[in-house]
Amino acid sequence: LVLPPIQGLLWLCGWTAFSPETLFTSWMPWVLYLFSACWQAGHIMVYSPLHPIRKFGGKTLTQVPALFVTTSPQMASVLGLIFLVFTLILGIFLGLYAGLGLVFIIPFVIMGLLTIYISYRFTLDSGNFSKGIRAFTYATYFMLVARIGILFSVFLFF
């Protein structure tokens, strides 16, 4: 989980490159930062059980630690789901706060709910590689739909 804060910086850099406002005169860049960081955390955690699994002291653990601790595949998939739910909430807030309109909100919510459903199903069977790949793929599509929706909204409304 060291990558999400870095991923969020890309959105901050984009904001500062193109906005006439600064990072300290608007909440928008920070909403974008949290939106991106939450998505990246969910994306990573959903993928974590798909890495090699190891046994340690009778417990099954993921190979890659989530910050300072390694988690079980079950916990990693649950954390991924939680972060993806936060992404959906932040995305809806972003759409309303920025006035992105229904061009952004409707496809984003549909894709978000589908992603959350598929990720939830993965939490029930976190050892199933096929369900994990599907959850990871839908998490990727979730952000793709968000980015396309933001672009369309910006070009249509601003």
Side-chain angles (χ1 to χ4, degrees), residues 35 91-92 94-95 100-109 145-146 149-150 153:
F35 173 69
I92 293 168
L94 172 67
L100 296 176
L102 297 178
V103 171
F104 169 77
I105 292 175
I106 290 174
F108 177 78
V109 168
V145 166
I150 289 170
S153 294

Side-chain angles (χ1 to χ4, degrees), residues 2 9-10 29-30 34 59 66-67 81 97 99 114 116 118 141 149:
V2 295
L9 289 176
L10 297 173
W30 301 106
L34 288 174
K59 295 181 181 177
L67 282 183
L81 177 64
Y97 182 69
L114 186 58
I116 287 168
I118 289 168
Y141 293 155

Side-chain angles (χ1 to χ4, degrees), residues 67-89:
L67 282 183
F68 304 109
V69 297
T70 52
T71 64
S72 68
Q74 173 71 24
M75 180 54 74
S77 64
V78 168
L79 286 172
L81 177 64
I82 290 168
F83 280 116
L84 290 171
V85 168
F86 282 138
T87 302
L88 178 64
I89 292 166

Side-chain angles (χ1 to χ4, degrees), residues 111-133:
M111 192 66 207
L113 292 174
L114 186 58
T115 300
I116 287 168
Y117 172 73
I118 289 168
S119 296
Y120 172 74
R121 289 190 41 155
F122 180 46
T123 65
L124 301 176
D125 188 11
S126 58
N128 187 316
F129 190 81
S130 175
K131 287 183 180 179
I133 288 292

